[in-house]
Amino acid sequence: MNIAVVGLSHKTAPVEVREKLSIQEAKMEEALNHLRAYPHIVEVAIISTCNRLEIYAVLTDTEKGVIEITQFLAEMGHIPLHFLRRYLFTLLHQDAVRHLFRVAAGLESLVLGEGQILAQVKNTHKLAQKYSSIGQLLDRLFKQAITAGKRVRTETNIGTGAVSISSAAVELAHAKVEDLSSQNVTIIGAGKMSRLLVQHLIAKGTTAINIINRSQLRVDELMSQFPGAPIRYYPLSVMLEVVAQSDIVFTSTGATEPILHKSCLETVTIQTRRLMLIDISVPRNVATDVQELLNIHAYNVDDLKAVVAANQASRRKMAQEAEALLDEEVDAFALWLRSLDTVPTISCLRTKIETIREQELEKALSRLGTEFAEKHQEVIEAMTRGIVNKILHEPMVQLRAQQDIEARKKCLQSLQMLFNLQVGEEYI
């Protein structure tokens, strides 16, 4: 069995490609079941965020399994294979393991060290468990990745003062308009990203924040976290009117199609001299054609890279500390993975020795007589178990400790031959 990851990220693909391959949580079960139906995919889990779509899989045949995942992505995104391949990356075995650990630690994020990705990795694991798409290998891999991500955040300072996508978006607005306190700001959406937008806008002195959302309940919950903040709620039905009166509009919704585009904005008169649209959603909430309208300036998540770059240099040293911790976690997973090779042989050997012990114990007790056997059976049985455990202990320790694949394979073959073990080939 081989572990592989096939995907794309902000490092390999622009937002217009990433948005075609974004998988909403409501569609995750369907996607996982589709992938599990391929003949060479045994386990699968999917990380889908605004900056990455990564499919982690356990494959019976690496080459064929990777082809199946690539085909799935091409079909799902309606993207020709020859076009899609230039944006994809494929990592195998330990490289795939290390990549997931780096993702969980925030080292692969657009914003180095950002904290939201760890929660997204946890959610990936939870959904894969819920829909029964993972088994022993990926379950252990994701648990170890979550542990690695937590260690990096508690044992290094990489998460301290780390900017998020939301804070980078506010910084972008601040760079374009020096005084945010004079701006009428609107946020479309009321999820986690919007909460962070509100937090950073207030810190920058914003005095007028409008939130447009389908449900008032979520906005009320958000407002309760910022008592006294200058927040007003508007229903989705008046979105265009509110946008028309705004200076800056942030969009952060789960819509799969643009909610602001040229044709709808042409129907309203923009009240301000200049309207700035900052879209931090993937798929995008703002269509590219809005740029054709006078006095409208639109930005998306890929435009945040310049803002983030200023923050990256000071965090490189922290990232090096994090890499050292990840080395330990990768080694721990590799040790566990190697031990799986030995499990069938060790189990078979223990079963055979235990059967011999029980047979010989029964013979001995029958010779000692009923009265003696009843009185001393527990002591004799404990002694024979102790002998078996001590004899087996050292070979098992040495077998698990073998790091060289070929050496371990030869040891296993020798044990199987010497003790005539019939080890099954079932998947462990």
Side-chain angles (χ1 to χ4, degrees), residues 304-313:
L304 301 180
K305 290 180 179 178
V307 176
V308 170
N311 182 266
Q312 301 287 65

Side-chain angles (χ1 to χ4, degrees), residues 4 7 129 221 261 288 301 309 358 373 411 416:
Q129 287 180 315
E221 291 172 357
H261 40 80
T288 54
V301 286
E358 289 174 353
C411 286
Q416 292 164 14

Side-chain angles (χ1 to χ4, degrees), residues 384-397:
T384 58
R385 284 187 186 280
I387 291 170
V388 166
N389 288 337
K390 287 183 177 178
I391 289 173
L392 290 177
H393 175 73
E394 195 60 34
M396 289 178 180
V397 169

Side-chain angles (χ1 to χ4, degrees), residues 262-276:
K262 180 182 176 182
S263 59
C264 73
L265 289 175
E266 280 180 325
T267 64
V268 297
T269 302
I270 306 300
Q271 301 296 317
T272 56
R273 276 191 310 109
R274 159 183 165 143
L275 174 61
M276 187 188 308

